[in-house]
Amino acid sequence: MPFPLHRPRRLRANESLRTLVRETLLAPSDFVLPLFACEGEGIRKEISSMNGHAQLSVDKIVDECREAASLGIGGVLMFGIPAHKDENASGAYDDAGIVQRAIRAIKQETPNLLVISDVCNCEYTSHGHCGLVVNNDVDNDPTLEWLARTAVSHARAGADIVAPSDMMDGRVGRIRSALDESGFSGTPILSYAVKYASGFYGPFREAAESTPQFGDRRSYQMDPANAREAMREIELDLAEGADMLIVKPALAYLDILSMARQRFDVPMAAYQVSGEFSMIMAAAANGWIDKDRIMMETLTSIRRAGADFILTYFAKDAARLL
Ligand code: PBG
């Protein structure tokens, strides 16, 4: 008879006891802040669906990074919005491109702040797809060349970690050999190994101006219904040389995160994406939920499910609360 011998409430009686037995802890260094670099100077172009987030010119990005560094957050994740987009995503692998200039400036001003660069083409193509479009679909193999050039260009600019998010087959291996051949054998690859074709990316596409002009991303991003396939994606990326993994989005995919945590012994991240952020902010703005509480609860659940660190638009807010 467990009761009355056992009373789990004994260990919940006060905050000191609860703190003593708490299983999952958060620290500012668990959070990575996504940032959007745009052309110009002194520019802060608010993203209407993502309260508190904006496209920032390089000078403003540097200010933001100083603040991020002083809060002790784990790093920043860099996206770029180029002035011109074309069919070949040429802005993505241009050494003088927007992200490359932002990375150089950040590494100069806040050298100890970890800079992760998102390696993808969708912000740079006129059609908004993540690679070379042939017959209304993204052609996998030629796209690998762009990705490899982009990753090397980011590393040359000073990126500490490159994070391919395009979901092309074979890109991790291709990026690994391109980095190695260019003298960047020490640059880790954080692979978005498991990225679902998700409606939760809606606000990001406004932020990054990367909505596909036709069709959708379902021929390269994963079907939300599939879990076993996620494990296979991870196995392949690790075989190709990925150092760390991302599961994305986070909250609707905690089962995937937990399954991956049990199977693979590499550092794992989860991306609490734009839609997850915006839903919480919108409900809080209506007074329906307590923003800080839900923010910490979701971040804790993502850590508990197995993420070592979290890419999140709450990075600064959460770090301030801790
Ligand atoms: C692709 C990319 C996307 C996100 C990060 N990298 C968008 C997409 O696949 O359409 C979404 C992130 C978010 O929603 O916060 N470069």
Side-chain angles (χ1 to χ4, degrees):
M1 259 278 237
F3 179 82
L5 180 62
H6 293 288
R7 289 180 180 270
R9 286 186 58 187
R10 280 184 202 122
L11 298 182
R12 296 178 204 142
N14 58 56
E15 187 51 24
S16 310
L17 269 169
R18 291 191 291 270
T19 301
L20 184 73
V21 300
R22 188 158 293 133
E23 298 174 34
T24 307
L25 298 172
L26 294 173
S29 58
D30 297 336
F31 310 131
V32 171
L33 175 68
L35 293 173
F36 303 95
C38 68
E39 296 289 347
E41 230 194 283
I43 307 275
R44 183 181 170 89
K45 199 172 149 203
E46 299 293 337
I47 301 159
S48 62
S49 54
M50 297 176 71
N51 204 344
H53 290 270
Q55 294 181 3
L56 301 170
S57 52
V58 172
D59 53 320
K60 295 281 181 190
I61 288 260
V62 167
D63 294 344
E64 188 78 3
C65 287
R66 276 201 200 97
E67 194 188 346
S70 73
L71 287 165
I73 72 167
V76 292
L77 174 66
M78 291 306 305
F79 294 97
I81 298 110
H84 303 288
K85 301 177 187 243
D86 60 32
E87 299 258 295
N88 296 317
S90 54
Y93 39 84
D94 179 355
D95 279 336
I98 181 64
V99 141
Q100 287 82 351
R101 277 180 281 134
I103 294 170
R104 266 185 229 111
I106 299 167
K107 291 314 292 186
Q108 191 168 345
E109 298 302 320
T110 47
N112 294 328
L113 180 68
L114 212 56
V115 175
I116 306 174
S117 71
D118 185 271
V119 175
C120 195
N121 297 303
C122 61
E123 302 112 79
Y124 303 91
T125 51
S126 41
H127 43 67
H129 277 287
C130 300
L132 176 70
V133 170
V134 178
N135 296 330
N136 277 341
D137 195 12
V138 175
D139 196 352
N140 194 86
D141 299 9
T143 299
L144 300 182
E145 183 56 33
W146 298 0
L147 294 165
R149 286 171 67 180
T150 301
V152 169
S153 167
H154 290 176
R156 205 179 284 132
D160 297 291
I161 299 171
V162 294
S165 67
D166 52 282
M167 288 303 276
M168 296 302 121
D169 294 330
R171 94 274 205 202
V172 170
R174 191 60 175 277
I175 288 172
R176 183 70 274 157
S177 44
L179 287 170
D180 291 356
E181 281 160 20
S182 310
F184 297 107
S185 59
T187 302
I189 299 176
L190 168 62
S191 174
Y192 287 79
V194 183
K195 178 173 177 181
Y196 287 94
S198 170
F200 285 104
Y201 307 147
F204 173 94
R205 292 183 186 170
E206 180 205 335
E209 299 171 7
S210 64
T211 309
Q213 299 302 301
F214 60 88
D216 54 41
R217 302 208 205 288
R218 278 182 253 204
S219 76
Y220 41 104
Q221 298 180 349
M222 281 184 54
D223 182 342
N226 293 358
R228 290 191 298 264
E229 186 188 350
M231 301 304 111
R232 180 159 164 72
E233 281 282 3
I234 294 175
E235 267 162 22
L236 292 170
D237 279 12
L238 291 176
E240 286 178 34
D243 299 280
M244 304 183 273
L245 309 170
I246 304 178
V247 172
K248 172 183 178 184
L251 204 57
Y253 299 89
L254 293 184
D255 57 329
I256 307 298
L257 203 53
S258 160
M259 206 182 284
R261 175 74 296 159
Q262 280 161 35
R263 291 207 200 180
F264 303 101
D265 291 326
V266 292
M268 256 174 35
Y271 197 151
Q272 183 178 47
V273 301
S274 57
E276 300 179 63
F277 170 81
S278 298
M279 287 196 308
I280 294 171
M281 295 300 279
N286 275 299
W288 296 335
I289 58 170
D290 176 335
K291 179 207 143 196
D292 286 350
R293 200 168 160 192
I294 299 282
M295 167 176 83
M296 293 320 253
E297 189 171 334
T298 53
L299 291 169
T300 300
S301 73
I302 296 165
R303 282 275 287 145
R304 192 193 61 228
D308 297 296
F309 59 100
I310 305 170
L311 316 170
T312 174
Y313 301 95
F314 287 123
K316 286 198 305 179
D317 291 359
R320 262 186 221 112
L321 270 194
L322 288 167

